[in-house]
Amino acid sequence: MRYRTLGLTGIEVSAHCLGTMMLGSVGNPDHQEGIRLVHAALDAGINFVDTADMYSAGESEEIVGKALQGRREDVVLATKVHFPMGQGPNRGGNSRRWITQAVEDSLRRLRTDWIDLYQVHRPDHRTDIEETLSVLGDLLRQGKIRAFGCSTFPAEQIVEAHWVAERRALPRFRTEQPPYSILARGIESSVLPVAQRYGMGVLTWSPLASGFLTGRYRKGGTIDLSSGRAALHPHRFDPALPVNARKLEAVEQLVELADELGCTLPELAVAFPLAHPAVTSVIIGPRTVEQLEGLLKGASLVLDDAALDRIDAIVAPGTNVYHPDGVWTPPALAPSARRRPATERAAAEAAADR
């Protein structure tokens, strides 16, 4: 396993990061199997483990905490805060009040005294970024976290956070965790260049594009919209919709390329993000040890310029064939924020109103 420095933190992390969203009730509820999965990843040379408080309502953190007993010193442990963790208006978000409580809850579930990378899972338009940076800086000084970063922040908000940190003499985001895959390349135009500009480490998620790059969904094949992820979000999988037909068309071309390279489609998909110079580590989120082993088979795959040119021809750089699942939508894009009242949309008043 190859290791890379996580931004300017000086922390060395594996080029593959074990994502644990599938550990717990949402994915694999068997704690012993989850522990075995984590151990298999560590034995394969992965030293970077990413989780979040909201994964299976904290259960993922609990499984990771059990798995790291006796091996904590050798692991770079990352978790996240933001999404609601229970009933009540103040049980989520990026406020000092919530982060102060949430970090203690995560430390307890993870059975550790410190978190190596504490990430703000999404932006929070209700909370001043100075408030968030301030409390994260306090946690650094208290030794409860070693570094902090953001996840799925748009480029302009990353820039704002760095500007506020400099202006107020506060610690700054050291990492960004964006979605990135062959089918979702939008971050190449701004997020990745901004991360490079500020010396941020980048750990990317969803390299398999919500399953479209596993080979499970093929053009002309039957897609079961009544089970699994497709049942939760049928509009993202229904082949009758043009946006999904475009995904399936791209998949067919990528399968052909993978065959020519002598690799599987998932191996091609996971290797792609690592070719970008801004990317530090790619998060892989297997549900079983077998899935992990399948992904690790392609760990040494090198995509040459010819292969990357072929990918560029299938999905143009800086574009999204679709918007990745779960991406935060800026409040400014809500219809109510983009549309004036109907009576104010014309350049002149109607004659009857004069």
Side-chain angles (χ1 to χ4, degrees):
M1 184 61 62
R2 181 169 291 165
Y3 299 88
R4 297 172 172 179
T5 305
L6 187 61
L8 299 177
T9 66
I11 300 172
E12 294 289 318
V13 298
S14 48
H16 281 340
C17 173
L18 179 66
T20 62
M21 187 176 71
M22 298 308 294
L23 300 187
S25 59
V26 171
N28 189 341
D30 189 313
H31 285 212
Q32 289 305 311
E33 287 189 15
I35 292 170
R36 189 164 68 93
L37 174 63
V38 174
H39 288 174
L42 301 183
D43 292 342
I46 291 176
N47 77 335
F48 198 10
V49 178
D50 177 77
T51 186
D53 56 3
M54 59 85 67
Y55 293 165
S56 295
E59 192 178 2
S60 173
E61 286 188 328
E62 292 175 356
I63 296 172
V64 170
K66 294 176 184 177
L68 295 186
Q69 294 304 292
R71 306 184 72 165
R72 177 67 184 91
E73 296 286 343
D74 298 322
V75 173
V76 179
L77 179 59
T79 192
K80 298 182 282 293
V81 61
H82 168 79
F83 286 103
M85 290 293 290
Q87 300 298 319
N90 292 307
R91 299 280 301 169
N94 302 343
S95 69
R96 171 178 289 273
R97 187 182 193 277
W98 174 240
I99 290 176
T100 301
Q101 175 63 50
V103 72
E104 298 295 342
D105 294 341
S106 287
L107 289 168
R108 172 178 47 80
R109 288 189 293 260
L110 291 166
R111 303 187 183 192
T112 186
D113 294 327
W114 82 97
I115 294 163
D116 294 291
L117 177 63
Y118 198 46
Q119 301 157 100
V120 180
H121 212 155
R122 292 291 189 276
D124 179 0
H125 69 278
R126 304 165 304 170
T127 304
D128 191 328
I129 190 63
E130 181 177 350
E131 177 86 357
T132 303
L133 295 174
S134 177
V135 64
L136 292 171
D138 289 345
L139 297 180
L140 279 176
R141 287 184 287 273
Q142 294 164 12
K144 295 179 180 180
I145 64 175
R146 299 292 188 256
F148 63 82
C150 50
S151 175
T152 319
F153 271 48
E156 64 272 16
Q157 290 198 286
I158 296 175
V159 172
E160 179 189 10
H162 280 277
W163 184 86
V164 170
E166 181 178 356
R167 180 105 174 170
R168 301 300 185 190
L170 295 169
R172 58 192 180 91
F173 287 136
R174 292 294 186 178
T175 62
E176 160 61 11
Q177 183 180 141
Y180 187 36
S181 72
I182 296 175
L183 299 183
R185 303 182 60 177
I187 65 168
E188 292 175 340
S189 63
S190 55
V191 171
L192 292 183
V194 164
Q196 289 177 295
R197 169 66 180 83
Y198 287 107
M200 300 173 72
V202 175
L203 47 157
T204 64
W205 57 271
S206 197
L208 299 181
S210 302
F212 274 92
L213 296 179
T214 64
R216 177 181 178 183
Y217 307 110
R218 299 291 299 273
K219 183 178 180 180
T222 301
I223 297 179
D224 184 3
L225 299 177
S226 64
S227 63
R229 187 174 292 179
L232 296 175
H233 306 287
H235 64 285
R236 295 172 179 166
F237 295 86
D238 185 352
L241 299 178
V243 65
N244 297 323
R246 174 70 182 92
K247 298 178 202 176
L248 296 173
E249 182 61 42
V251 166
E252 293 305 309
Q253 298 177 64
L254 292 168
V255 167
E256 181 179 341
L257 174 59
D259 289 342
E260 293 177 13
L261 296 175
C263 66
T264 67
L265 180 59
E267 289 170 359
L268 174 67
V270 173
F272 169 76
L274 285 170
H276 197 290
V279 175
T280 309
S281 187
V282 174
I283 298 173
I284 54 176
R287 190 174 61 86
T288 65
V289 172
E290 292 69 30
Q291 289 177 353
L292 171 67
E293 292 172 345
L295 292 172
L296 291 178
K297 286 180 181 178
S300 60
L301 176 63
V302 176
L303 299 180
D304 61 18
D305 288 346
L308 293 173
D309 287 343
R310 289 278 298 280
I311 292 173
D312 288 349
I314 296 169
V315 179
T319 65
N320 290 327
V321 173
Y322 81 116
H323 292 288
D325 292 358
V327 173
W328 176 79
T329 300
L333 294 184
S336 60
R338 293 183 289 105
R339 299 171 183 171
R340 290 179 180 272
T343 56
E344 299 177 9
R345 294 176 190 173
E349 295 179 3
D353 297 333
R354 293 174 184 170

